[in-house]
Amino acid sequence: MLPYQSLQEAEQAIGRHLTYAETLWFNYSANVSDYFLYCHTILFLFLVFSLVPLPLLFMELKRPKIVEKYKIQPKVRIPRSLMFKCYRDVMRVFFLVVGPLQLISYPSVKWVGIRTSLSLPSGWEMFLQLAVYFIVEDFGNYWIHRFLHCKWGYEKIHSVHHEYTAPIGFAAPYAHWAEILILGIPSFLGPAMVPCHMITFWLWIVLRQVEAIETHSGYDFPWTPTKYIPFYGGAEYHDYHHFVGGQSQSNFASVFTYCDYIYGTDKGYRFQKQHLTKVDLQSPLFVFSVVFMVSRHGSFTNAKS
């Protein structure tokens, strides 16, 4: 709750006139508790999980010719019933795990210094903070993801997420409840290291989930704006990880590709890109290539999928 009774009082405290955005924020948050504002995170997550994958759902069901050629695994057709089951399972975990976790985690948000006060951050400040959050989350997620592909981590936890070898948008948050809790750590680590305004925090949560849905979309569109981001992985990059499945020891990164390159966990993917770009992923020749990469490039483990 803002400690001002009027716009004039807020402007006197800040020493300048409020911007249009700050005026809107004052009008909305002046008499609202910080805890209530923080709980908006639950609403934003629900809207992202429910609405952002809908265009992808339509494309998957209708397969219009204009987008069919961009489908990464074109021969895979996921039944309508399985799509809605995926969303239903995501919502169950959302209401039983994600939502309650948000309700009780406000003290940690307050403790690290995420604020709701005036003035609002500049666009440049928000951009730099979000860049830090993506880099920190990507690095932490990379190592947790590698751990989840060890025999115990995969069989007990991560195998749930890999039920979709040809991922769809709704499958981005589809995971074991323990995995959701574990992967929440690197997502919160950035804001804990570089505290921000609540608006920036909301934007971070939304952008991270939208990015995850995009990488699980199953489509590699050439006009996607993320293709202009340096070292960005994207849908094709992560789709390879899902296609290989539980034996995959490649493409662990959630957003960027530099960790996989530095630690050598993209060899199988790079080999496939260099030598098999014209081979159908569902063809016997590709299956042979997977076996070849196992013996020559050490891209996979012998863990059961």
Side-chain angles (χ1 to χ4, degrees):
M1 184 179 296
L2 297 179
Y4 313 117
Q5 300 300 318
S6 65
L7 283 173
Q8 292 73 20
E9 184 180 345
E11 290 177 340
Q12 289 177 358
I14 296 175
R16 59 172 174 79
H17 291 294
L18 298 183
T19 66
Y20 178 72
E22 289 172 335
T23 301
L24 291 177
W25 180 251
F26 176 87
N27 290 332
Y28 183 75
S29 65
N31 298 313
V32 175
S33 69
D34 289 350
Y35 178 72
F36 179 79
L37 288 172
Y38 170 70
C39 288
H40 285 48
T41 308
I42 302 174
L43 175 62
F44 294 142
L45 285 172
F46 174 77
L47 292 176
V48 170
F49 289 162
S50 300
L51 300 181
V52 174
L54 286 182
L56 299 169
L57 174 67
F58 173 81
M59 287 187 286
E60 194 66 27
L61 291 174
K62 300 299 183 180
R63 291 289 182 93
K65 292 183 179 180
I66 192 173
V67 299
E68 178 69 14
K69 60 182 177 180
Y70 302 119
K71 180 67 177 174
I72 300 172
Q73 298 187 46
K75 291 188 177 181
V76 177
R77 299 197 69 95
I78 300 177
R80 184 195 306 258
S81 59
L82 190 58
M83 295 181 187
F84 287 104
K85 177 183 179 299
C86 178
Y87 177 71
R88 183 194 66 198
D89 292 342
V90 167
M91 285 296 103
R92 183 174 66 246
V93 175
F94 176 82
F95 286 112
L96 294 179
V97 179
V98 178
L101 178 64
Q102 296 297 320
L103 291 175
I104 65 175
S105 59
Y106 174 72
S108 61
V109 170
K110 195 71 174 178
W111 180 71
V112 301
I114 295 177
R115 63 185 180 89
T116 61
S117 59
L118 294 171
S119 60
L120 295 185
S122 65
W124 182 242
E125 178 184 348
M126 294 175 68
F127 173 80
L128 291 177
Q129 289 176 331
L130 290 170
V132 171
Y133 300 167
F134 271 107
I135 293 172
V136 170
E137 193 277 342
D138 183 72
F139 185 80
N141 186 290
Y142 172 85
W143 289 106
I144 293 176
H145 196 180
R146 282 191 69 169
F147 164 75
L148 290 174
H149 270 269
C150 72
K151 181 178 178 63
W152 182 90
Y154 187 83
E155 291 181 353
K156 301 297 184 181
I157 300 176
H158 195 49
S159 59
V160 175
H161 184 66
H162 272 273
E163 290 176 9
Y164 291 86
T165 56
I168 57 175
F170 280 132
Y174 179 82
H176 191 284
W177 63 266
E179 179 171 347
I180 293 175
L181 293 179
I182 295 171
L183 292 180
I185 297 173
S187 294
F188 185 68
L189 187 58
M193 295 171 59
V194 184
C196 61
H197 195 277
M198 185 66 74
I199 292 178
T200 307
F201 183 76
W202 288 338
L203 185 59
W204 156 240
I205 295 298
V206 169
L207 288 177
R208 179 63 186 91
Q209 298 307 318
V210 170
E211 184 277 331
I213 291 171
E214 192 248 333
T215 57
H216 288 83
S217 67
Y219 290 86
D220 185 31
F221 298 118
W223 58 77
T224 304
T226 51
K227 287 188 175 292
Y228 298 96
I229 300 177
F231 308 108
Y232 185 77
E236 183 193 25
Y237 188 83
H238 193 67
D239 201 279
Y240 175 86
H241 177 83
H242 272 265
F243 177 80
V244 176
Q247 293 181 327
S248 177
Q249 291 296 302
S250 184
N251 296 19
F252 291 117
S254 61
V255 182
F256 304 109
T257 61
Y258 69 93
C259 280
D260 282 309
Y261 181 81
I262 292 173
Y263 300 111
T265 49
D266 64 347
K267 293 180 180 179
Y269 172 75
R270 286 191 284 122
F271 179 86
Q272 187 264 338
K273 286 284 290 184
Q274 293 171 3
H275 301 284
L276 303 168
T277 53
K278 296 183 179 181
V279 177
D280 189 337
L281 289 178
Q282 306 300 320
S283 69
L285 183 56
F286 181 78
V287 175
F288 171 78
S289 72
V290 170
V291 177
F292 178 78
M293 284 187 285
V294 170
S295 61
R296 290 291 302 275
H297 294 270
S299 300
F300 314 109
T301 65
N302 293 322
K304 294 181 180 179
S305 61

